[in-house]
Amino acid sequence: MSSPSPRVLLVNDDGPPGPHSPYIFGLYLHLTKNIRWDVKVVVPSSQKSWIGKAFHITEITKGRYYYPREPDGMGEVSSCSRPLKEGEVAEWVLLDGTPATCTNIALHNLYPGAIDLVISGPNYGRNSSAAFAMSSGTIGAAMSSALSQTRSIAISYGTVLHPTPDDLLEPAHVLSLRIIQYLWNNWGKDVGGTRNGEIDMYNVNVPMIMELLNPKGLDVHWTHMWRSSYGQLFKAIPAPEAASTKRDILSEGPDVASQQSGLEDDVLKEEPEAPLVFKFSPDIQSLVTPSLDSVPVGSDGWALAKGHASITPLQACFAHADHDHAATGTESLRILKL
């Protein structure tokens, strides 16, 4: 039995449509045109990957309005709300904040009491395994929703082919839509859930592979999260190289420089003689292309390595670990004697 159509908030961590955010507009069109759900969109004004569930608490969060146009979602930014112009499909909101900030402001300030489901994504890249998931702004935005007792689904499109063929976007959106509808109509139970004993949130990963074009499509697995890890994420930059990076960015003009994120923003603020300069340069190839024998069967990493989509139910918490000394069931709390 189908549930009533939800009022949806669509968020992401990649920002408005563009080279670093190629998926959100396509999914928006599928949600609004194919199944005619009511969808509001609130996204960061710039790319905010790897920021997790962080909030800006000392900065003032400012917002503007965005008016995407078909076919690619590129549009005009306005400091005030206005009627749609010819060719524009909707009014979105851009916030100068984190993905989790976008979720919370949308739920409690912009559309209080008017959202039933938060969809975060589709992310430009996978969010399978703990190493990615605990760093993910996409999952952080969904987690922010769950902690506000609102159902949420995080969706990520795992990059496998470089570049990703454009003809994979449509079947990826179609599969994601089927998964979203199924989860909405069959939301799972969890006795400890933050909302009416329900599953807090789901994490969905879809590999962008040619098998999406097959009539059968991809297999979809219920999975658990692969408890992976990472090592070095940053590398040191010699001072002359850091100064050169700053000059290169400035030489491209203010528009290009203002669009840079991560290292580039930091380098622009650093003095050339700064003694310690580091660049985000993660060595995570073993997480992106793990061997099958290195990932637990039934995990999200295993599913993607097999070329399957995954759905992982998640708790909005740092779940306690099972261990030999934990109290279970009706057993009395155990006292640790040191």
Side-chain angles (χ1 to χ4, degrees):
M1 181 177 178
S2 296
S3 303
S5 297
R7 299 165 297 176
V8 174
L9 170 67
L10 184 61
V11 298
N12 73 359
D13 73 355
D14 292 322
H20 298 291
S21 183
Y23 301 139
I24 188 171
F25 186 65
L27 184 62
Y28 173 82
L29 292 180
H30 275 270
L31 289 166
T32 55
K33 292 189 174 183
N34 291 12
I35 58 177
R36 299 187 180 279
W37 282 3
D38 177 16
V39 182
K40 308 295 186 185
V41 181
V42 181
V43 297
S45 57
S46 62
Q47 216 265 3
K48 292 289 186 298
S49 290
W50 280 78
I51 204 165
K53 204 189 71 62
F55 291 102
H56 286 165
I57 61 172
T58 59
E59 300 90 342
I60 298 297
T61 300
K62 299 179 181 180
R64 292 167 292 171
Y65 298 93
Y66 182 77
Y67 298 90
R69 306 168 63 96
E70 294 194 68
D72 56 7
M74 302 300 289
E76 182 177 287
V77 177
S78 174
S79 59
C80 58
S81 178
R82 60 165 177 75
L84 299 183
K85 297 178 181 179
E86 184 177 355
E88 294 175 341
V89 300
E91 179 182 82
W92 294 6
V93 174
L94 307 182
L95 294 179
D96 296 334
T98 67
T101 300
C102 290
T103 297
N104 193 270
I105 287 178
L107 290 178
H108 299 287
N109 299 91
L110 298 177
Y111 316 112
I115 300 297
D116 304 305
L117 173 67
V118 172
I119 300 172
S120 183
N123 187 64
Y124 188 16
R126 73 189 63 209
N127 275 309
S128 59
S129 86
F132 286 128
M134 296 189 71
S135 307
S136 167
T138 300
I139 293 179
M143 192 76 70
S144 180
S145 171
L147 290 172
S148 288
Q149 296 189 327
T150 302
R151 289 180 175 184
S152 60
I153 303 170
I155 299 179
S156 301
Y157 291 174
T159 304
V160 178
L161 306 173
H162 300 274
T164 299
D166 289 341
D167 55 358
L168 297 185
L169 271 63
E170 181 69 13
H173 294 326
V174 170
L175 176 58
S176 296
L177 205 64
R178 288 172 50 207
I179 292 173
I180 291 167
Q181 288 180 285
Y182 176 85
L183 292 176
W184 172 250
N185 291 320
N186 301 274
W187 206 270
K189 298 296 183 182
D190 177 6
V191 173
T194 59
R195 181 184 181 277
N196 301 327
E198 293 185 341
I199 295 290
D200 289 339
M201 59 174 287
Y202 291 96
N203 183 37
V204 176
N205 279 278
V206 176
M208 300 297 279
I209 56 178
M210 298 309 294
E211 284 75 9
L212 279 166
L213 300 176
N214 294 342
K216 180 178 176 293
L218 302 183
D219 289 338
V220 181
H221 289 269
W222 291 106
T223 58
H224 61 270
M225 185 168 287
W226 172 28
R227 293 175 64 179
S228 60
S229 60
Y230 50 65
Q232 180 174 319
L233 298 179
F234 296 83
K235 71 176 183 181
I237 302 178
E241 182 181 340
S244 175
T245 301
K246 177 178 178 179
R247 288 193 300 271
D248 291 343
I249 294 172
L250 290 174
S251 69
E252 293 177 340
D255 291 338
V256 173
S258 66
Q259 295 172 5
Q260 304 299 313
S261 62
L263 164 71
E264 289 83 352
D265 284 343
D266 292 338
V267 169
L268 286 173
K269 297 173 185 176
E270 289 286 345
E271 294 298 327
E273 64 273 12
L276 300 173
V277 183
F278 300 90
K279 174 183 179 180
F280 186 65
S281 181
D283 181 11
I284 52 176
Q285 196 58 42
S286 62
L287 296 175
V288 176
T289 56
S291 59
L292 265 179
D293 59 0
S294 69
V295 291
V297 174
S299 69
D300 52 2
W302 169 85
L304 261 69
K306 294 275 288 184
H308 302 157
S310 68
I311 306 174
T312 309
L314 294 178
Q315 298 175 342
C317 68
F318 290 104
H320 70 271
D322 292 329
H323 59 94
D324 293 342
H325 307 291
T328 59
T330 59
E331 185 179 352
S332 300
L333 292 176
R334 295 181 177 179
I335 298 174
L336 175 61
K337 295 182 178 179
L338 299 176

